[in-house]
Amino acid sequence: MSNERLFSRRSFLKASGLLALASTFPIASTSAQTGEKLKDLLSKNNRSLQLKKTKVLLDDQWDVIVVGGGPSGCAAAIASAREGAKTLLIESMGCLGGMGTSGLVPAWTPFSDGERMIYRGIAEKVFNESKKGVPFEPKEKMDWVAINPEWLKLVYDRMVAENNVKVLFFSHLASVEMKNEKEVDAIIISNKSGLTAYRAKVYVDCTGDGDLAAWAGASFTKGNSKGISMPATHCFEIVNLNVNPSNIESFNSLYGGNKKSPIWEIVESKKYSLIKDAHLCINYIGPNAVGLNAGHLFEVDSTNPQSLSNAMSRGRELANQFMAGLKEFRPDIFANSVLVNTGQLMGIRESRIIEGDYRLTLKDWIARATFPDEIGRNNYFIDIHNSEEEIDKVLKEKNFENNLGRPEPYKKGESHGIPYRCLTPKRLKNVLVAGRCISTEQIVQGSVRVQSACLVTGEAAGMAAAHAIQQHKNDVHLVNVDYLRKRLKEEGQYFK
Ligand SMILES: Cc1cc2nc3c(=O)[nH]c(=O)nc-3n(C[C@H](O)[C@H](O)[C@H](O)COP(=O)(O)OP(=O)(O)OC[C@H]3O[C@@H](n4cnc5c(N)ncnc54)[C@H](O)[C@@H]3O)c2cc1C
């Protein structure tokens, strides 16, 4: 590799040691948390290990590196490469798609505002290609279209390849090397080659958890006033049901929002200890096959490896309990069915929210705000899943759709803008974020976290990364937003 050089790491301990500490001593706080505060942990919280001075290979041929290959990362990498930047996409799993593939999330949230498609550009292209994997869905359907995850993996593989994005699978961001307080110099990736440094001019953090930005020192919030984030769901797939495309409609009766759904009997029977509420969404994803986004795992912290590990095994137990419960209460459909797959990724709805130049507020969401620097629109409802304390109320009322006083969903034709400033972490010069960790108030993250919006923020971030290199010595805060919006519009994006 001609561009690989030996990279001398001045301070690998700084980032990697902090990673270990940060996971051992998870910080659950709504106050902004900086790299400096993490550094304090080293001195306060007992044991640490000094890594020996070491050198790793350096690959410094990249203009833009995108970390995380979910919807936001794929869109970012495609957009960056399309603008002419030499782009590397780094993903820790063996496929692209994030929650929609490795996480087995079985459906797209609505792509329309009830009147027209509002998530366009790369989002629309991915959505249209994805639909080819679920031919039983009506061609013109825009809302709640099912996902065939194996097909979606191919869609992303092909789209990134067509746009000359280089992809590195099974490669995990391990730490971040800073040039100075504001600028990322290189990132350290861990994979079967051991540790390797990768250097780019601009980095786009699409890890969902904001790993890169947080480790580079961006401030962020995590969770509610008690530090607790929305519950997680471990999605799974069941096959060999007694159902076919002509009676897909019968699935509607299984949805937790229906008072006759078997989920109520399953919960009330108290035989299935891990099934604590009526969350049961089910999508027909192929002949006699369904994907389920069902049940909740409470107080999972995806930035704490032990918490995440415990959740994975609990999640598999939970899926098995669902299988047993559905067989017991709906044998007409499930008697001979088999649980064939649980997500390779835990279904994490929320973790770090990175602080950007602007934080999208609930007030903005309620006002259906329009911004001079908006890069897309969103209309998804504020979909906050109830905490363990809140589920009792919903169960008592047997009303799964009780939104506990949260804002009402938008009406037809309504949407709000997403400002570019939500993608630019405060104080970091050459880092952008996209996807579910962009800068919003926690309650608004419950709306912009869905895949359609993540594709939109990904496309804008990837394009802006390329523009920052061309225009302003890699400074993402100085990007010409009028030009960015012009280019996004030329590529088909929708905003005001
Ligand atoms: C249970 C559940 C149900 C949902 N239901 C829906 C739904 O019905 N419809 C919908 O549209 N959306 C739904 N969502 C929301 C949506 O799926 C996610 O919020 C969205 O996929 C987030 O996109 P992202 O690109 O930010 O991150 P992700 O999709 O999480 O992708 C992040 C990627 O980064 C990789 N990664 C993470 N850390 C690192 C690292 N350190 N190094 C290298 N790679 C890394 C991961 O492996 C992953 O592939 C749901 C989410 C959950 C959890």
Side-chain angles (χ1 to χ4, degrees), residues 98-172:
M99 284 301 152
T101 56
S102 303
L104 298 182
V105 164
W108 296 99
T109 48
F111 264 65
S112 89
D113 64 1
E115 292 176 348
R116 64 185 80 79
M117 177 169 283
I118 62 164
Y119 307 90
R120 298 195 202 157
I122 291 172
E124 183 174 2
K125 291 191 180 96
V126 169
F127 180 63
N128 286 339
E129 286 304 306
S130 167
K131 271 169 106 173
K132 293 179 187 165
V134 284
F136 42 83
E137 290 276 33
K139 271 211 167 68
E140 61 291 349
K141 190 172 169 190
M142 286 197 272
D143 300 342
W144 296 109
V145 172
I147 293 174
N148 168 346
E150 277 308 310
W151 177 257
L152 185 56
K153 289 177 192 173
L154 274 182
V155 168
Y156 284 124
D157 278 343
R158 289 174 181 168
M159 284 181 79
V160 297
E162 278 160 18
N163 287 278
N164 296 321
V165 173
K166 194 87 179 161
V167 180
L168 211 53
F169 285 130
F170 301 118
S171 297
H172 203 82

Side-chain angles (χ1 to χ4, degrees), residues 173-185:
L173 177 72
S175 81
V176 176
E177 287 287 325
M178 301 301 288
K179 193 183 279 179
N180 51 52
E181 289 222 321
K182 292 181 173 171
E183 218 170 335
V184 172
D185 179 24

Side-chain angles (χ1 to χ4, degrees), residues 67-73 90-93 95-100 102 105-109 144 147 171-174 206-209 211 215 232-235 279 293 345-349 380 434-437 449-452 454:
V67 183
S72 64
I90 293 176
E91 166 57 47
S92 61
M93 308 298 287
C95 68
L96 300 173
M99 284 301 152
S102 303
V105 164
W108 296 99
T109 48
W144 296 109
I147 293 174
S171 297
H172 203 82
L173 177 72
C206 295
T207 59
D209 293 320
D211 291 349
W215 298 343
T233 292
H234 201 189
C235 297
H279 175 51
N293 162 9
L345 281 175
M346 172 51 59
I348 297 296
R349 294 189 170 85
Y380 190 59
R436 72 169 160 85
C437 60
R449 67 188 174 84
V450 289
Q451 294 176 89
S452 46
C454 291

Side-chain angles (χ1 to χ4, degrees), residues 386-456:
N386 297 329
S387 67
E388 202 161 6
E389 287 160 10
E390 290 166 326
I391 56 175
D392 280 347
K393 184 158 193 232
V394 174
L395 282 177
K396 255 183 230 143
E397 291 175 7
K398 212 172 172 180
N399 180 4
F400 177 62
E401 289 183 337
N402 180 348
N403 76 354
L404 299 173
R406 291 175 189 124
E408 287 301 314
Y410 286 173
K411 297 196 178 63
K412 269 187 180 181
E414 295 179 338
S415 60
H416 69 84
I418 307 172
Y420 172 64
R421 287 162 295 156
C422 295
L423 316 183
T424 50
K426 261 190 183 164
R427 291 180 292 276
L428 293 180
K429 180 183 169 188
N430 62 342
V431 177
L432 286 141
V433 292
R436 72 169 160 85
C437 60
I438 65 166
S439 181
T440 64
E441 286 182 350
Q442 189 201 9
I443 189 166
V444 179
Q445 193 271 357
S447 166
V448 300
R449 67 188 174 84
V450 289
Q451 294 176 89
S452 46
C454 291
L455 284 161
V456 166

